[in-house]
Amino acid sequence: MTVLLIGWAVLTGVERWAERAPWPSAVLSGLMWACVVAGVWWFAEWTQSPLRTARQAAEARERAAGPGPETETPHEPEADTGADGEQVVAGRPDSSAPSRR
């Protein structure tokens, strides 16, 4: 409701002074544009509401669960040596090794 009233006042002023419209026309045009702005504002709030509610619920669950177990940082798999002596990591030859092709 606040967005509508403030928008109406501002847009009526814009219509009156910037567009040089007579007061009755400026008030009606300002109201029309204020309704458009308020409708877009309402739509944006309405579509974001489920996301905000879900985010707040997830944060509340995390707080209720308390601190989780300490997790180790993932590390790279150990290097293997292939049949021809090249280093193989996760099935790929080391990129710094010269190619034999």
Side-chain angles (χ1 to χ4, degrees):
M1 185 69 171
T2 305
V3 173
L4 179 66
L5 292 175
I6 292 172
W8 188 12
V10 169
L11 293 168
T12 297
V14 168
E15 287 288 327
R16 173 68 180 131
W17 286 290
E19 299 294 327
R20 301 192 195 287
W23 275 110
S25 175
V27 169
L28 288 175
S29 295
L31 179 60
M32 181 198 67
W33 285 112
C35 287
V36 170
V37 169
V40 170
W41 184 280
W42 172 82
F43 181 76
E45 286 289 321
W46 180 67
T47 57
Q48 293 298 313
S49 180
L51 297 175
R52 187 179 313 117
T53 303
R55 190 178 314 119
Q56 289 171 349
E59 289 171 356
R61 281 193 304 270
E62 288 176 7
R63 281 192 304 273
E70 294 295 321
T71 58
E72 294 181 21
T73 58
H75 61 279
E76 293 184 18
E78 294 182 21
D80 250 350
T81 306
D84 55 359
E86 288 184 3
Q87 263 192 337
V88 178
V89 178
R92 294 185 174 175
D94 187 15
S95 62
S96 63
S99 176
R100 292 198 176 137
R101 293 183 189 172

